Amino acid sequence: MSGKLMQAIQYDSYGGGPAALKHVEVPVPSPKKDEVLLKLEATSLNPIDWKIKKGALRPIFPRKFPHIPGTDVAGEVVEVGTEVENFKPGDRVVAELGHLNGGGLAEYAVAKKNLTVARPAEVSAAEGAGLLVSGITAHQALTQHGGIKLDGSGHQKNILITAASGGVGLYAVQLAKLGNTHVTATCGARNIELVKSLGADEVLDYKTPEGAALKSPSGKRYDVVLHCATGISWSTFEPNLSETGKVIDITPGTSSMMTFALKKLTFSKKQLVPILTVSPSIENLDYLVKLVKEGKLQTIIDSKHPLRKAEDAWEKSIDGHATGKIIVEP
Ligand SMILES: NC(=O)c1ccc[n+]([C@@H]2O[C@H](COP(=O)([O-])OP(=O)(O)OC[C@H]3O[C@@H](n4cnc5c(N)ncnc54)[C@H](OP(=O)(O)O)[C@@H]3O)[C@@H](O)[C@H]2O)c1
């Protein structure tokens, strides 16, 4: 592929909205020895993509400008590095590119072999691409931090999932129900039936007083809260927690970090767990892909956008009202 050009979306500074994304023609990247070159079929966006562009993680991400954003991809292998033995041209895969390099809003991208898994025919490119950051975050938060066993073993736990209609929340509801759990969820009125259909036992409209107070309609106290929304204070969570209840905050701000420190220092039984980033592993990714293949986990697609209109997808993500995953297709 050396010398071939491709269409891509890139930016060369922090700040600016969707209009600051530039359509460019750049060389198709070459895979290093431990990488595969993918002809992309679908890329899923996450709020962190536009937060990085805003400068929320400067100076770590992006590593350099210009930067092609997008990390969660599905595509076809077209070339492999010299140390890649488990993939060959023609294989369909999903891969996590990572925020350091990005590269997902393009026609081709290179992925590390150790963050690439096979995509069976039963899993569409969009369904596979949706799984990466969102699915891994839901999985890691529930299993590692929430102590939920997805094989259904273990004591029953009462779980609250806020923003259950979002990219992370919709996977979280379904994964939590694979475990021995009672799930209360919050979302907007328009998504209540969807969230129930994916397994939530009770759903609160976050714009009602009961929803804002996070009160379980059946009077449950939560053992685990997977907090996928923002702007809810500890004082709202606290009265709804069981004696050893834990709030897992995946968008921790200053007040969450202070609560985390305070609860630790005072040996509080109720805890706040801030999650800044997740570490994808090939095992977890493979597990999630298999769940989709077996029909035990669904990727709900909010919308699909062609690469030539990637700014519409970007704007939709910034808007914060997606139901499930926003997909860009070359
Ligand atoms: N730490 C990590 O590694 C990590 C990983 C992934 C994501 N995150 C963060 O987690 C957050 C969620 O990500 P996401 O991809 O799921 O976001 P998303 O898809 O943009 O979430 C949008 C959904 O959230 C709902 N929502 C917004 N505010 C709500 C509230 N107060 N109560 C209930 N529902 C609410 C919206 O419903 P309406 O449209 O009805 O308002 C919409 O359906 C983001 O801040 C993201 O940056 C962190």
Side-chain angles (χ1 to χ4, degrees):
M1 289 267 161
S2 118
K4 190 177 164 178
L5 296 178
M6 66 173 186
Q7 299 297 321
I9 306 293
Q10 70 181 24
Y11 57 84
D12 46 25
S13 63
Y14 292 118
L21 296 174
K22 292 182 180 159
H23 291 255
V24 292
E25 211 173 41
V26 292
V28 171
S30 296
K32 298 196 180 93
K33 55 190 177 182
D34 61 341
E35 290 177 340
V36 292
L37 174 66
L38 305 178
K39 183 174 192 324
L40 297 180
E41 295 170 274
T43 299
S44 126
L45 290 185
N46 295 289
I48 193 66
D49 295 322
W50 55 262
K51 289 180 187 178
I52 287 176
K53 178 163 181 0
K54 267 181 83 179
L57 298 180
R58 75 172 84 184
I60 305 167
F61 298 126
R63 188 172 54 174
K64 58 180 168 52
F65 294 120
H67 178 71
I68 300 175
T71 56
D72 299 6
V73 302
E76 181 184 340
V77 175
V78 289
E79 216 176 294
V80 299
T82 50
E83 286 178 5
V84 178
E85 286 159 0
N86 47 342
F87 295 109
K88 58 180 187 324
D91 287 349
R92 292 248 146 78
V93 298
V94 298
E96 175 56 39
L97 307 181
H99 294 294
L100 214 50
N101 298 317
L105 289 185
E107 290 179 289
Y108 293 84
V110 285
K112 294 281 176 207
K113 66 173 182 179
N114 60 0
L115 284 177
T116 301
V117 303
R119 175 171 66 82
E122 296 86 345
V123 181
S124 74
E127 288 170 328
L131 278 175
L132 292 141
V133 163
S134 298
I136 293 283
T137 301
H139 180 268
Q140 207 160 305
L142 291 169
T143 57
Q144 277 184 24
H145 302 283
I148 292 151
K149 296 187 166 66
L150 302 191
D151 61 3
S153 64
H155 296 300
Q156 197 190 34
K157 289 194 175 173
N158 296 325
I159 303 195
L160 169 68
I161 297 167
T162 64
S165 52
V168 179
L170 284 171
Y171 286 126
V173 168
Q174 299 174 74
L175 290 171
K177 287 309 295 178
L178 295 176
N180 183 12
T181 62
H182 178 281
V183 172
T184 306
T186 71
C187 64
R190 68 195 171 94
N191 284 315
I192 289 178
E193 287 314 313
L194 169 70
V195 172
K196 274 192 184 154
S197 75
L198 293 173
D201 298 286
E202 47 191 27
V203 185
L204 294 162
D205 173 357
Y206 76 96
K207 290 188 175 151
T208 61
E210 302 74 34
L214 307 175
K215 289 268 172 261
S216 155
S218 60
K220 300 268 187 305
R221 293 288 170 107
Y222 310 119
D223 302 304
V224 176
V225 177
L226 177 47
H227 182 30
C228 304
T230 53
I232 300 176
S233 67
W234 176 259
S235 60
T236 304
F237 289 118
E238 206 276 333
N240 294 299
L241 296 176
S242 67
E243 208 183 323
T244 55
K246 203 185 244 192
V247 176
I248 303 166
D249 187 351
I250 61 169
T251 318
T254 314
S255 85
S256 272
M257 297 310 284
M258 284 168 68
T259 304
F260 160 67
L262 189 67
K263 297 291 145 198
K264 278 272 173 224
L265 288 169
T266 56
F267 300 103
S268 166
K269 286 186 179 167
K270 297 180 181 179
Q271 293 280 332
L272 188 143
V273 181
I275 298 190
L276 295 166
T277 53
V278 290
S279 346
S281 75
I282 207 155
E283 292 77 21
N284 291 349
L285 196 47
D286 207 30
Y287 171 75
L288 294 176
V289 170
K290 284 206 174 79
L291 287 181
V292 175
K293 179 186 168 190
E294 291 163 8
K296 294 178 182 160
L297 182 66
Q298 286 182 54
T299 295
I300 305 298
I301 311 279
D302 172 87
S303 49
K304 289 184 179 177
H305 307 259
L307 185 63
R308 68 187 154 76
K309 290 195 170 175
E311 40 290 88
D312 292 352
W314 199 262
E315 193 161 14
K316 178 102 215 218
S317 181
I318 293 174
D319 191 38
H321 293 293
T323 299
K325 297 302 303 175
I326 300 166
I327 304 292
V328 177
E329 294 174 326

